[in-house]
Amino acid sequence: MSFWKQHQKLLMQQWDLRRRRIEREVAERRRDLVRRNLRQSSEWGIYEPYTDWYLEREVEAFVAAVDEVSNAGHFDIDDESLDDMDRLLAEMIDRRQQLAPAELLRDLSDHYARVKGAARVGLLEVQSLRRVERERGAAAPPLAPVRRKSRPASEAPPPSVAPAPAAVPAAAPAPETPQVPIDAHCLADHLRRLGHLIQRLPDPEEQAETLEELQFVAEEATAELERRKLRMVGAALERIKARIAAADPEAAAHAARLADPVRRWFEFG
């Protein structure tokens, strides 16, 4: 049974709980505006359910629910389930779009496309994180035999075994430790932060294309090592950094700090 079919009821319950928190936040913010006699301000309209402010939080709430439920049992999120959940969010956004006043639809259409792209990226990040965790969990046992160097440490060989541990940690692990790029949690966090930077791109078409590039990188992170398109991943990350830098030079260094460890993740496997 797919992840979505098996956990749909629990996911919807967790999502509903988080949506109530959003409603409470909206109520508190509007009460504050009323206290300051700012009911007629532009900020009042931000909290309508069809705005990108509201939709972004609903999408984040759903992705957080998927992360929590899947993390509880380290469940694998299959591609079919990811498509079903992505479709659910897209339909929710379309229904909210129908609530928007006609005069605002033109201005909001680009925001709706951006939020849909962010929803897909968020789900892919959770899928990638779960798969990496499962792979690491399956790969963990083989690490034990590597440490069997301590087994020969019986009463006879101690003189020859003792120098080896002293030499190996000093020469091998010390240089390798800095080269370990990021773990699975950091990988997902870096991808998520890159997604936030991409959402700031002013051109909607360029923003959508760059989100697709990030989606490709996230998908490749879950592929088998021998099947990863490393050269294409590197090119995609370079394009992502270049577009962010072109739109906001001050964000260039931040984008590089996020993208470079992701690239090293692929290089080190």
Side-chain angles (χ1 to χ4, degrees), residues 6-253:
Q6 186 175 1
H7 302 284
Q8 178 178 357
K9 184 177 180 180
L10 178 58
L11 284 169
M12 297 302 288
Q13 290 174 345
Q14 293 295 324
W15 191 25
D16 188 54
L17 289 174
R18 287 168 169 80
R19 294 168 90 173
R20 292 177 188 175
R21 296 174 194 166
I22 299 172
E23 292 172 358
R24 288 196 294 269
E25 180 185 358
V26 169
E28 291 172 1
R29 291 190 177 214
R30 284 189 162 172
R31 278 197 297 268
D32 181 62
L33 290 175
V34 170
R35 283 195 296 267
R36 293 186 290 146
N37 290 325
L38 295 175
R39 186 187 180 104
Q40 304 301 323
S41 69
S42 59
E43 186 180 350
W44 184 272
I46 292 175
Y47 308 124
E48 295 293 345
Y50 55 77
T51 61
D52 57 324
W53 181 94
Y54 207 111
L55 289 171
E56 283 176 359
R57 277 154 184 77
E58 289 220 62
V59 167
E60 290 172 358
F62 184 80
V63 173
V66 174
D67 187 25
E68 180 178 335
V69 172
S70 62
N71 184 50
H74 294 287
F75 299 112
D76 178 52
I77 302 176
D78 53 287
D79 293 338
E80 180 183 356
S81 295
L82 190 140
D83 291 338
D84 289 338
M85 293 186 291
D86 184 44
R87 192 178 304 111
L88 171 73
L89 292 176
E91 290 173 354
M92 181 270 290
I93 294 170
D94 290 338
R95 287 195 300 271
R96 296 294 179 80
Q97 186 175 0
Q98 295 172 3
L99 300 175
E103 62 272 15
L104 298 179
L105 280 177
R106 180 177 299 178
D107 296 333
L108 291 173
S109 59
D110 293 336
H111 295 297
Y112 293 137
R114 175 176 57 79
V115 175
K116 287 181 180 179
R120 180 78 179 184
V121 169
L123 291 172
L124 282 168
E125 288 173 353
V126 177
Q127 181 193 55
S128 172
L129 180 58
R130 293 292 91 82
R131 290 184 175 178
V132 169
E133 287 174 350
R134 288 167 66 89
E135 290 174 3
R136 292 291 174 89
L143 293 178
V146 176
R147 298 184 178 180
R148 286 178 184 173
K149 294 178 180 178
S150 59
R151 287 188 177 180
S154 56
E155 298 178 356
S160 59
V161 176
V168 172
E176 287 181 5
T177 302
Q179 295 179 1
V180 176
I182 49 177
D183 59 19
H185 291 280
C186 290
L187 173 67
D189 184 59
H190 279 55
L191 291 172
R192 186 179 298 109
R193 292 185 181 184
L194 280 171
H196 291 327
L197 290 177
I198 293 171
Q199 289 173 13
R200 300 178 188 174
L201 295 178
D203 186 353
E205 292 185 3
E206 187 176 69
Q207 184 184 107
E209 291 177 1
T210 312
L211 283 173
E212 289 180 2
E213 299 269 18
L214 186 64
Q215 177 180 333
F216 165 73
V217 173
E219 289 174 344
E220 286 300 304
T222 65
E224 297 178 6
L225 291 177
E226 63 274 9
R227 295 185 179 179
R228 289 178 181 172
K229 306 177 181 68
L230 299 183
R231 185 175 301 176
M232 295 175 64
V233 167
L237 289 171
E238 289 302 319
R239 285 192 293 269
I240 290 172
K241 290 193 297 183
R243 288 172 179 170
I244 293 173
D248 183 4
E250 295 182 357

